[in-house]
Amino acid sequence: MDQFLKSLRNRKAIVEARIVEERARPAPDRFRLHTLKKLRLQFREQIAFLERTNRLLPI
């Protein structure tokens, strides 16, 4: 499970870097930014869900 969380965090970081790159362009593509932000939100929600689940599971 920890490896999966690490993978999700890595993917989220990649998406965040792409958002920064897109915003730095002279004319950012609004549709691309919107899509990247939705993807970042999905990763954030998945990570939060898994972290909550891990805390609630007995070891």
Side-chain angles (χ1 to χ4, degrees):
M1 184 72 80
D2 290 334
Q3 187 65 28
F4 185 61
L5 270 172
K6 187 177 180 179
S7 173
L8 285 175
R9 288 184 183 123
N10 187 37
R11 291 177 187 179
K12 182 178 172 240
I14 291 168
V15 170
E16 287 177 1
R18 288 188 180 165
I19 290 171
V20 170
E21 289 173 5
E22 189 63 34
R23 283 184 176 160
R25 291 180 51 196
D29 183 342
R30 289 176 35 199
F31 178 74
R32 182 175 167 91
L33 273 174
H34 179 73
T35 303
L36 289 168
K37 287 180 179 181
K38 283 179 70 174
L39 188 57
R40 178 180 61 182
L41 179 61
Q42 289 174 352
F43 283 131
R44 185 184 314 156
E45 289 173 347
Q46 287 177 336
I47 291 167
F49 174 77
L50 289 173
E51 287 175 340
R52 280 192 313 270
T53 304
N54 283 344
R55 273 188 256 133
L56 298 175
L57 290 176
I59 297 176

